[in-house]
């Protein structure tokens, strides 16, 4: 691999930067935990599967189409 290539130099820049972080690693851990909470925990408790409770199995697309067409008028 050519050591003068742009991709190699960009990779080395980020690799060396993340390797020498001290406080940054802790901050990245906090960010990852927050993203996990937002996308997993909130999804489970606050965004239930509406279609599974209101539409028949296999007719979800028709249910959505009817709701979109009937509620816009």
């Amino acid at each position: 691999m050519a050591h003068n290539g742009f991709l190699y130099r960009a990779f080395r820049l980020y690799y060396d930067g993340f390797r020498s972080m001290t406080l940054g690693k802790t901050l990245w851990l906090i960010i990852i935990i927050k993203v996990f909470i937002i996308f997993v925990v909130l999804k489970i408790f606050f965004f239930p599967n509406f279609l599974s409770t209101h539409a028949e199995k296999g007719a979800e697309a028709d249910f959505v189409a009817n709701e979109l067409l009937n509620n816009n008028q």
Side-chain angles (χ1 to χ4, degrees), residues 2-68:
H3 296 310
N4 294 334
F6 173 74
L7 292 177
Y8 180 78
R9 288 185 290 141
F11 171 76
R12 290 302 299 179
L13 173 74
Y14 286 103
Y15 180 76
D16 291 339
F18 282 113
R19 187 179 57 186
S20 64
M21 273 194 219
T22 55
L23 179 62
K25 289 179 184 178
T26 306
L27 295 176
W28 274 110
L29 180 64
I30 292 170
I31 291 169
I32 290 169
I33 291 170
K34 283 180 152 184
V35 168
F36 176 79
I37 290 171
I38 289 171
F39 287 111
V40 175
V41 175
L42 291 179
K43 165 78 171 102
I44 292 170
F45 292 112
F46 295 108
F47 302 108
N49 191 350
F50 186 81
L51 285 177
S52 68
T53 58
H54 290 85
E56 296 177 12
K57 181 88 171 149
E60 292 90 355
D62 293 332
F63 176 78
V64 172
N66 288 333
E67 288 295 313
L68 288 173

